[in-house]
Amino acid sequence: MKIAYITSLYPAVSQTFILREIQALRAQGFDIQTFSVRKAGKMDSLGLETTREAENTRSLLPLPIADFFRAVIWVIVTRPLTGITTLWSAWRGRALTLSDRIKGLAYFVEAILLAFWLVRGGIVHLHCHFGNSGSSPAALAARLAHIPFSITCHGSELREIKKNRLPEKVEQASFVICISHFGKAQLMLTCPPNHWPKLYVIHCGLEDDELDPAAEHKSAAGNTPFKLLCVGRLSPEKGHLILLDALDILHRRGVAVHCTLVGDGPMKTQIEHRAADLDIANQLTLTGAMEHTQVKLLYRSCDAVVLASFSEGIPVVLMEALAEGKPVVATSVGGIPELIIHGETGLLVPPGHINSLADAIQRLADNPSWAQSLAEKGRQHVRDQFRNADSARQLAVLFRNSPRVTVE
């Protein structure tokens, strides 16, 4: 069965868990071909595996002119009516602005090319990770190609459900994967009840070798300073400025803490300036983006992992931390409470509450044996509920049972 995977950025490069999913499905006999809206840059490819995958990924932009004109002729000759109805679908929308409609035309242009490639490649199903703008040309392409379409919704796209036209995409989709029950509930708020049966919760997961008890690495007791690790894009929703304020509080309390931030993004300069203003720059290390193998080494050398996010799905970062036997502190947002049970598998704090975040970090620093007991319970929870092989098997059933499309 030939399936196409697409995201707005290259899927397997920027998101390790998507690469895991693709590999697990291939192991079950699926022929997965990868596409992206934009071509991956050098900084997007982190590691040998992702570089190899990137070389086999076709991107819509920059637009390959010769293939595009062949695709236009193909639509005109083979499916003119579908082309017209799909163009209308891209343009219409009661609440759309003129700018939104123009974007819709751009998505239609991209969709023509993608549909042409899908049909020529014998693809029978198109799956899109993230329901953001990247899923817009994908949904249109599936119409043009006369193949079923599905989405995995994570977290960021759910903050702007109407702008991303998710109710329309859910209506078209043969099924929609939500990585958390929280995400499913967000879609249920805006989608008609008759489409709710299309919504499935399938957690992202880790490979079995990542959950092997022999892979456990404990930090030495009494480390000074207490070593925190935060992994995530340096963007507003991750709450890094809140984390810096919590580090400042701990510094003023006399608690020795050092935090390593892994990731890159638009807030890098602002984070550096804020750390300097608080006079905590010596408590902070910014590594930039790193290969997954390098991040795993940082998990093993830290004392705890922290996320101060304002919005999340279920962060794979926290799963990986628990799998490495590390205690975690995170905000009680999105699907995080489905992974972190407060006081049992980790510590949860209210989003934006600086003192609570500082208090939770200090509790772990002051009680290493208790912190480790949290990590052990968290690790067992990940083993039981967040295995990639289990998730891939659930997804495979949906792909195999996906209904065929009735051509207009």
Side-chain angles (χ1 to χ4, degrees):
M1 183 176 182
K2 289 189 175 183
I3 298 172
Y5 263 57
I6 185 169
T7 65
S8 55
L9 293 173
Y10 172 62
V13 165
S14 59
Q15 304 289 347
T16 303
F17 62 87
I18 300 179
L19 178 56
R20 288 192 189 112
E21 182 175 291
I22 290 171
Q23 291 171 334
L25 287 169
R26 284 173 176 161
Q28 295 190 50
F30 289 91
D31 181 354
I32 308 292
Q33 299 183 23
T34 55
F35 297 82
S36 65
V37 175
R38 291 181 290 277
K39 188 176 181 64
K42 291 182 179 179
M43 295 303 295
D44 296 315
S45 184
L46 301 174
L48 182 60
E49 275 190 315
T50 56
T51 299
R52 287 174 178 169
E53 195 70 37
E55 292 171 353
N56 296 315
T57 296
R58 303 185 77 172
S59 58
L60 302 176
L61 300 175
L63 200 68
I65 301 301
D67 248 16
F68 172 68
F69 280 112
R70 282 193 286 268
V72 171
I73 294 171
W74 167 75
V75 169
I76 293 172
V77 172
T78 66
R79 52 202 69 196
L81 179 59
T82 304
I84 292 170
T85 57
T86 303
L87 175 60
W88 174 243
S89 176
W91 177 263
R92 71 178 173 84
R94 186 178 303 172
L96 295 184
T97 65
L98 178 60
S99 175
D100 291 332
R101 295 180 192 278
I102 292 172
K103 287 180 182 177
L105 296 181
Y107 297 147
F108 178 70
V109 168
E110 296 166 4
I112 291 174
L113 177 62
L114 178 57
F116 180 60
W117 284 344
L118 295 174
V119 172
R120 286 183 64 185
I123 301 297
V124 299
H125 189 106
L126 176 59
H127 186 71
C128 188
H129 262 279
F130 297 97
N132 54 18
S133 59
S135 64
S136 297
L140 297 172
R143 286 176 180 267
L144 287 171
H146 301 152
I147 61 175
F149 163 76
S150 55
I151 315 174
T152 294
C153 286
H154 293 263
S156 58
E157 68 272 75
L158 298 175
R159 295 196 297 270
E160 297 181 302
I161 287 179
K162 291 185 178 179
K163 180 180 178 181
N164 289 320
R165 301 177 71 167
L166 282 175
E168 297 171 37
K169 292 169 185 174
V170 170
E171 180 180 2
Q172 178 187 341
S174 55
F175 60 85
V176 176
I177 303 301
C178 303
I179 67 165
S180 69
H181 291 280
F182 173 83
K184 179 180 177 179
Q186 293 299 102
L187 284 179
M188 293 173 76
L189 278 173
T190 55
C191 295
N194 60 305
H195 293 313
W196 292 357
K198 294 182 179 182
L199 307 179
Y200 296 84
V201 175
I202 299 180
H203 294 138
C204 298
L206 302 182
E207 297 294 339
D208 287 347
D209 60 354
E210 296 175 282
L211 298 169
D212 190 325
E216 185 175 355
H217 295 265
K218 296 182 180 180
S219 298
N223 278 357
T224 302
F226 188 74
K227 293 181 291 185
L228 281 176
L229 177 64
C230 178
V231 182
R233 179 170 165 77
L234 305 184
S235 51
E237 73 275 6
K238 295 297 183 179
H240 288 100
L241 298 183
I242 296 295
L243 176 56
L244 295 188
D245 286 343
L247 294 177
D248 177 51
I249 289 175
L250 292 169
H251 176 66
R252 288 188 276 112
R253 290 178 182 174
V255 180
V257 175
H258 185 277
C259 184
T260 299
L261 300 184
V262 177
D264 209 343
M267 289 191 66
K268 179 180 179 181
T269 300
Q270 188 176 359
I271 289 170
E272 290 173 335
H273 289 167
R274 180 61 175 163
D277 290 342
L278 294 172
D279 195 24
I280 59 168
N282 62 340
Q283 295 176 245
L284 199 65
T285 298
L286 279 73
T287 69
M290 300 180 72
E291 291 185 24
H292 188 244
T293 53
Q294 295 174 306
V295 176
K296 289 190 74 171
L297 293 176
L298 290 179
Y299 285 135
R300 295 170 185 179
S301 63
C302 75
D303 294 305
V305 172
V306 60
L307 284 183
S309 306
F310 299 122
S311 175
E312 284 287 357
I314 300 183
V316 176
V317 166
L318 297 182
M319 297 180 203
E320 292 175 338
L322 292 173
E324 291 289 348
K326 300 301 176 180
V328 300
V329 177
T331 46
S332 54
V333 297
I336 290 179
E338 296 172 37
L339 173 65
I340 306 302
I341 303 168
H342 181 64
E344 293 185 27
T345 64
L347 295 179
L348 294 177
V349 299
H353 203 288
I354 301 166
N355 284 315
S356 294
L357 182 59
D359 290 344
I361 294 170
Q362 186 170 353
R363 286 182 70 190
L364 295 181
D366 290 344
N367 302 278
S369 59
W370 175 72
Q372 192 57 43
S373 71
L374 290 180
E376 290 298 332
K377 293 176 183 176
R379 185 171 186 175
Q380 188 60 52
H381 186 50
V382 171
R383 289 177 188 155
D384 293 342
Q385 301 294 329
F386 297 90
R387 288 185 179 272
N388 187 52
D390 295 339
S391 299
R393 279 191 288 269
Q394 295 174 61
L395 189 54
V397 170
L398 294 176
F399 281 138
R400 292 190 177 104
N401 293 336
S402 178
R404 302 301 94 185
V405 172
T406 302
V407 180
E408 299 172 1

